[in-house]
Amino acid sequence: MLARKGIIPEEYLITRLAEDNNQPTYRTKPRKARFVAKNGACNVAHKNIREQGRFLQDVFTTLVDLKWHHTLLIFSMSFICSWMLFAMAWWLIAFAHGDLEPKEEPFVPCVTSIHSFTSAFLFSIEVQVTIGFGGRMVTEECPQAITVLIVQNISGLIINAVMLGCIFMKTAQANRRAETIIFSKHAVIACRNGKYCLMFRVGDLRKSMIISASIKMQIIKKAVTAEGEVVPLSQIDILAENQVGTNSIFLVSPLIISHTIDKNSPLYEVSASELHSLDLEVVAILEGVVETTGITTQARTSYLPDEILWGYRFVPIVSEEDGRYSVDYSKFGNAVKVSTPLCSAQDLDIKRTSHLPQWVSQNGCVKKHKYNNNNNVVNNSEMYEEHAVLFASAESLDL
């Protein structure tokens, strides 16, 4: 307006930018690279391998590890190349014996009805796959033809055994069975029996069981030794517990696997506010024997700090219906928020062992009765878990 009236020249005016610098800007937080993907694949790239010949020393495993289109290409080319190789041998035998030229009737060829390389190729296919159409056959005229016949039959059996075994192993790989073993998308941290527990849910969609199933948990994080050595991927085993009390599980219905956060746990000093800033990864590994095939299988998953929900608990999904137990997999990963302190397990233990009010039990839960100022019991049949005072000081309460 002042510029329009000519009081202040336009060159001295400060124009407002289209983008207000006072507006908050949001940047996408770079996501930490996973050591184990959610589907169980290991996110590790092997580079600069100098001794590539070691893979050829175990050809069968190398063929099984190849992708399907590479395996099918090698499968087809192995047969075609063997047919072509022995077709050349049959053509050379016929050429050396003079079978390719027209002869009179008393002449006995090494192989009947071979007049060109095409007919030799067809005869090679008939010999190796034992078709035997009847138009071509080996005679007793040439011993070298009998030798080639024996060598081709043995070579064909070896190729059939190796390639068919490779195809069978690829279709019956252990990781195929792991596709029907599912883990919850998130892990949760909540109180169980007065202690923090890191929990996740695992289930098997098939009716056929996993025999001798066991569960193992690890924490992957960067560690520094006392000498200053940096270990980029330190694997720390943590105790995995379930309702049975050991790492062996009976996976008939989905189970909640838990890890008690105590003094021996790497998460003992971690609070809710510090959890998402940690640089770690919780890896869960389930291993067992497939009941139908007897092959050992392994299912894996991992949880980053932003996939661990503090103060949540999984909802029940097993119910009894018509005399049998029913599992509702639509609620498999559902969790509900529960009242949970936000301090670390270490702080929780310290404050619980300090001077507690008489109406607070040692595990942090309110008793069924409480006391008044005169130290007399006040009758009350309710459990005050919703409003429990977990610490001795109200100022240190962090809920």
Side-chain angles (χ1 to χ4, degrees), residues 16 19-25:
R16 183 175 179 178
E19 295 181 0
D20 192 353
N21 294 330
N22 295 327
Q23 293 293 332
T25 58

Side-chain angles (χ1 to χ4, degrees), residues 68-306:
W68 267 108
H69 58 276
H70 292 155
T71 302
L72 294 178
L73 178 62
I74 295 175
F75 179 85
S76 303
M77 293 303 299
S78 61
F79 285 102
I80 294 175
C81 291
S82 64
W83 295 338
M84 293 291 292
L85 177 63
F86 285 101
M88 180 63 67
W90 291 117
W91 183 84
L92 290 175
I93 291 174
F95 177 78
H97 192 256
D99 297 346
L100 301 180
E101 299 176 0
K103 301 290 182 178
E104 296 179 358
E105 186 64 25
F107 178 77
V108 179
C110 294
V111 181
T112 60
S113 302
I114 290 185
H115 307 291
S116 62
F117 181 79
T118 303
S119 58
F121 180 74
L122 294 175
F123 180 70
S124 176
I125 297 176
E126 294 178 16
V127 170
Q128 188 161 331
V129 299
T130 63
I131 296 177
F133 290 115
R136 304 177 182 87
M137 62 180 180
V138 179
T139 64
E140 58 184 12
E141 183 70 17
C142 303
Q144 61 271 22
I146 299 175
T147 303
V148 172
L149 178 65
I150 296 173
V151 172
Q152 184 172 6
N153 277 300
I154 296 175
S155 301
L157 290 176
I158 295 175
I159 294 174
N160 286 337
V162 173
M163 299 311 300
L164 293 179
C166 177
I167 297 297
F168 171 77
M169 290 302 298
K170 284 190 69 68
T171 55
Q173 278 184 334
N175 57 357
R176 305 299 178 188
R177 179 62 178 87
E179 296 293 335
T180 53
I181 298 176
I182 57 176
F183 297 86
S184 58
K185 184 178 179 181
H186 295 89
V188 298
I189 293 180
C191 286
R192 268 190 173 184
N193 299 322
K195 294 183 178 180
Y196 285 155
C197 289
L198 172 67
M199 297 172 284
F200 64 91
R201 179 174 275 165
V202 60
D204 188 5
L205 300 179
R206 291 187 181 274
K207 291 185 177 180
S208 59
M209 294 177 53
I210 301 294
I211 304 174
S212 302
S214 61
I215 197 85
K216 183 172 68 173
M217 296 177 66
Q218 286 186 342
I219 287 184
I220 311 295
K221 67 176 184 177
K222 181 186 292 185
V224 181
T225 63
E227 295 76 15
E229 179 187 1
V230 178
V231 182
L233 294 174
S234 176
Q235 301 183 16
I236 304 173
D237 289 331
I238 59 177
L239 182 62
E241 302 171 351
N242 56 74
Q243 289 85 347
V244 182
T246 61
N247 61 344
S248 298
I249 59 176
F250 187 48
L251 198 59
V252 178
S253 62
L255 297 176
I256 296 177
I257 309 299
S258 65
H259 161 68
T260 302
I261 304 177
D262 52 12
K263 295 181 180 180
N264 300 322
S265 174
L267 303 175
Y268 186 61
E269 301 178 1
V270 178
S271 63
S273 59
E274 299 170 347
L275 177 63
H276 290 173
S277 61
L278 294 179
D279 186 12
L280 58 82
E281 181 176 351
V282 179
V283 178
I285 304 172
L286 186 145
E287 188 172 312
V289 179
V290 182
E291 183 181 24
T292 54
T293 61
I295 300 176
T296 301
T297 185
Q298 187 180 91
R300 301 177 294 267
T301 191
S302 67
Y303 300 97
L304 295 179
D306 57 354

Side-chain angles (χ1 to χ4, degrees), residues 295-366:
I295 300 176
T296 301
T297 185
Q298 187 180 91
R300 301 177 294 267
T301 191
S302 67
Y303 300 97
L304 295 179
D306 57 354
E307 296 172 344
I308 301 176
L309 306 178
W310 190 289
Y312 282 81
R313 183 180 299 162
F314 289 109
V315 299
I317 60 175
V318 180
S319 60
E320 187 175 356
E321 297 178 0
D322 300 331
R324 60 188 305 179
Y325 291 98
S326 176
V327 180
D328 185 5
Y329 281 99
S330 64
K331 303 177 181 178
F332 182 83
N334 292 1
V336 293
K337 191 172 181 62
V338 294
S339 178
T340 306
L342 301 181
C343 63
S344 64
Q346 183 183 30
D347 295 338
L348 188 62
D349 290 343
I350 293 175
K351 295 172 183 178
R352 281 176 177 174
T353 55
S354 61
H355 299 286
L356 295 177
Q358 290 181 321
W359 55 278
V360 179
S361 61
Q362 291 295 326
N363 62 359
C365 295
V366 178

